[in-house]
Amino acid sequence: MGKKNVLILCLGLVACNGKVDQEVQSTVVKRGTFIEEMTEEGTVRSVNSISIASPNVSYRYGALKITSIVNDGKEVDKGDTVIVFDPSEIKKAIITAQQQLEIANAEFEKLKATQQSEIDDLESDLEITRISQEISKINFEQAVYESDVKKKEINLKLETANIALARAKEQIENKKKIQKEDIFQKTLSIRQLTATLEDANRSVKSLFVISPSPGIAILKDNWMTNKKWQVGDQPWSGTTLIELPDLNEMMAEVKINEVDVTKIIMGLKVEIKPDAYSDTTFSGKVVAVANLAQNKDSKSKIKIFPVQIKIDGKSKNLLPGLTVSCKIKISEVTGVLYIPIEAIFKDQGSEFVYVKSASSFKRKDIKIGSVNTDFAIVADGLAENEELALTDPYLNKEESKSEKGKNANGK
């Protein structure tokens, strides 16, 4: 064999069987029960809570404006003032309504006095007309011996007096009807002004919002600013600003990608770890999966489904808004081969491992099935108890650490 061919063969052997790091960590292919699971970040909230909303105040008082609001996460007692809104516009409305009501009451009293005076005058005129009619009646009765012409004249005067008396009575009745309508209109106006004043007084009291029960005040987000409600914000009437959670029953809410949501069903067991208390673990189960998808955020087209997880028991460490890691146990498969994900490598879309052979490691392509946080099912390519490298045995130590990090992040 020529020197050139010997050199090529040697290079090939080095490329395929490079120097093996004698400190390569290894593992073995195991057979047993594989737990398919999914880990998602979630947020703790209470199952039941009381909502505190901005008061329903008429638009005529202008926009609501927060001048004081309780600190987020502060513990409050029943009856504590948690929100105060600017009362200046309503106080102006109260002053205006009071002045208008005083004027209306004064005008009402004046109207009644004027009407009574008018009726008195008309009744006086009626009495005079009635007397005149009585006189005409007497003259007519005494005109028995008068001439026919004289009788006729007296009779005409009596008829005229009768007509005048009837008209005087009718005039009084008409005047009373008109006065009654004027009184009704003025009374209606006073009632409206009174109702306006009462509404303004109720509204100004509602600007001082108190807590209906004890608890921890959790401020909601202002959708216009994507921040917690704060002094200076102007919410619509009826907008929920604060939640008072019941800490006896808590849940975690996670958002599952639309690709994976079909795996999530009611009743799945969940292991919950608060980020702030990593040494503490809670158990729970899936109690609700949303039917409608949501956008992950305003700038993304990725769809997610909110999933609610009921947390078993209670703890002072489980507070609303706490970030938790939720490991959802999707299924258990028995009698399968599985290996740590650190033993799996990728190259141009294919997956492979390094299998121990005598004193070296050889690359071997495999197929994997379901993957959880730590392990992957071996679908094809390996046998039980085969020894695998956990790092690339043909890289030096520093390169090995880098490659291991990349693979772990990739999986």
Side-chain angles (χ1 to χ4, degrees):
M1 183 182 292
K3 292 183 179 180
K4 183 176 182 181
N5 291 333
V6 172
L7 178 60
I8 293 174
L9 178 59
C10 290
L11 290 174
L13 290 172
V14 171
C16 296
N17 298 293
K19 184 179 180 181
V20 177
D21 190 335
Q22 298 301 318
E23 297 181 4
V24 172
Q25 292 182 337
S26 63
T27 185
V28 295
V29 181
K30 295 182 180 180
R31 183 181 297 276
T33 300
F34 176 84
I35 300 176
E36 184 181 2
E37 56 193 23
M38 181 186 305
T39 301
E40 294 289 343
E41 187 178 88
T43 304
V44 174
R45 68 180 185 84
S46 64
V47 175
N48 301 306
S49 63
I50 297 174
S51 299
I52 300 179
S54 54
N56 289 310
V57 176
S58 174
Y59 67 91
R60 63 175 173 267
Y61 302 129
L64 290 170
K65 185 177 181 180
I66 298 174
T67 57
S68 175
I69 190 167
V70 67
N71 292 331
D72 190 29
K74 182 179 179 181
E75 189 171 350
V76 297
D77 293 324
K78 181 178 180 180
D80 286 353
T81 300
V82 291
I83 314 173
V84 178
F85 293 90
D86 184 3
S88 58
E89 291 300 320
I90 299 183
K91 286 184 176 179
K92 290 179 183 177
I94 290 174
I95 293 173
T96 300
Q98 287 174 335
Q99 292 173 342
Q100 291 176 341
L101 185 59
E102 289 175 2
I103 293 172
N105 283 324
E107 290 178 345
F108 181 68
E109 294 300 323
K110 181 179 178 181
L111 176 64
K112 289 195 297 182
T114 301
Q115 288 182 345
Q116 186 60 47
S117 177
E118 291 175 346
I119 293 298
D120 290 343
D121 290 343
L122 289 175
E123 286 180 345
S124 296
D125 293 341
L126 174 63
E127 184 62 21
I128 293 172
T129 304
R130 187 187 65 77
I131 293 172
S132 178
Q133 187 265 352
E134 285 291 334
I135 294 172
S136 298
K137 186 177 180 181
I138 293 171
N139 290 335
F140 178 75
E141 291 173 351
Q142 294 178 349
V144 178
Y145 303 104
E146 297 290 341
S147 63
D148 291 341
V149 175
K150 188 65 175 178
K151 288 181 180 180
K152 188 173 182 180
E153 181 182 351
I154 293 172
N155 186 47
L156 288 174
K157 288 182 178 180
L158 177 60
E159 290 180 358
T160 301
N162 288 336
I163 293 172
L165 181 61
R167 288 184 63 185
K169 291 180 178 180
E170 183 180 0
Q171 189 174 11
I172 290 176
E173 292 301 318
N174 290 337
K175 176 59 73 174
K176 286 182 178 180
K177 290 179 181 179
I178 293 172
Q179 288 181 347
K180 184 178 180 180
E181 180 62 25
D182 290 342
I183 290 292
F184 174 77
Q185 294 296 333
K186 184 58 70 174
T187 301
L188 182 61
S189 176
I190 290 174
R191 287 177 180 173
Q192 291 173 339
L193 289 171
T194 301
T196 298
L197 180 58
E198 290 174 350
D199 178 71
N201 284 321
R202 282 194 302 269
S203 296
V204 78
K205 290 180 181 178
S206 72
L207 298 182
F208 298 83
V209 183
I210 63 173
S211 173
S213 66
I216 295 176
I218 306 299
L219 301 188
K220 303 290 286 182
D221 289 337
N222 179 353
W223 62 271
M224 292 179 287
T225 63
N226 291 323
K227 297 179 180 179
K228 300 282 187 180
W229 288 103
Q230 58 186 335
V231 172
D233 286 348
Q234 296 181 321
W236 295 100
S237 293
T239 302
T240 299
L241 306 179
I242 298 175
E243 291 284 348
L244 288 178
D246 179 0
L247 302 183
N248 292 317
E249 290 187 278
M250 305 299 288
M251 68 166 55
E253 185 172 274
V254 297
K255 298 182 183 346
I256 304 298
N257 192 291
E258 60 183 331
V259 176
D260 299 318
V261 74
T262 54
K263 300 178 183 178
I264 309 300
I265 59 174
M266 303 278 283
L268 289 180
K269 294 181 179 180
V270 185
E271 182 182 278
I272 303 149
K273 288 186 177 182
D275 289 359
Y277 308 98
S278 57
D279 57 342
T280 305
T281 302
F282 298 91
S283 61
K285 64 179 180 180
V286 175
V287 294
V289 181
N291 294 322
L292 298 177
Q294 303 175 359
N295 286 329
K296 187 175 182 180
D297 53 58
S298 58
K299 299 180 181 179
S300 174
K301 293 183 179 180
I302 298 175
K303 299 291 185 179
I304 52 92
F305 288 80
V307 172
Q308 294 179 348
I309 300 165
K310 175 72 166 55
I311 302 175
D312 297 332
K314 61 181 181 179
S315 170
K316 63 180 182 180
N317 293 333
L318 282 176
L319 298 176
L322 196 67
T323 301
V324 290
S325 177
C326 298
K327 185 185 291 185
I328 305 172
K329 297 181 180 179
I330 298 172
S331 64
E332 290 188 7
V333 186
T334 59
V336 295
L337 298 176
Y338 62 90
I339 59 176
I341 58 174
E342 289 88 352
I344 303 171
F345 299 86
K346 284 189 174 183
D347 181 18
Q348 296 180 351
S350 63
E351 292 155 333
F352 63 93
V353 295
Y354 289 104
V355 181
K356 184 71 176 289
S357 176
S359 61
S360 64
F361 287 89
K362 292 184 179 180
R363 170 175 167 161
K364 190 174 186 180
D365 290 338
I366 63 169
K367 291 184 180 179
I368 64 172
S370 299
V371 177
N372 62 23
T373 307
D374 302 308
F375 300 97
I377 290 178
V378 179
D380 187 33
L382 292 174
E384 187 177 357
N385 294 324
E386 284 191 279
E387 186 176 354
L388 310 177
L390 289 175
T391 58
D392 189 336
Y394 301 107
L395 296 176
N396 60 40
K397 292 181 180 179
E398 292 301 321
E399 291 172 330
S400 178
K401 290 179 181 179
S402 175
E403 186 68 18
K404 182 177 177 181
K406 291 180 180 177
N407 281 283
N409 292 333
K411 296 306 290 182

